[in-house]
Amino acid sequence: MRKVEKYINLYQENKINVHQAYKQLGGRKYKEWWTKLYKQAEQTTKERGL
């Protein structure tokens, strides 16, 4: 869980890209990472009313 959140932060700060996250996290963690990232983006979009 912490590792996933760490990589979300790195991605949002533009320090890593999607491919690097996949290589570092592996399949299951990557899926969890992508799902959390997508949900955060969806929530942000709703808050902005877009």
Side-chain angles (χ1 to χ4, degrees):
M1 189 69 108
R2 289 182 186 163
K3 190 172 186 179
V4 171
E5 291 168 2
K6 174 185 169 189
Y7 280 91
I8 286 174
N9 290 336
L10 287 172
Y11 179 75
Q12 289 173 338
E13 294 170 2
N14 294 323
K15 293 185 178 179
I16 62 168
N17 61 30
V18 174
H19 181 67
Q20 289 168 321
Y22 182 77
K23 283 174 56 179
Q24 293 294 320
L25 293 170
R28 286 188 187 158
K29 290 279 186 188
Y30 174 78
K31 185 176 181 184
E32 182 183 337
W33 175 81
W34 185 255
T35 304
K36 280 189 168 198
L37 197 63
Y38 183 81
K39 286 181 181 178
Q40 282 182 359
E42 188 175 47
Q43 184 179 9
T44 303
T45 303
K46 285 181 182 177
E47 288 172 0
R48 291 182 181 169
L50 299 175

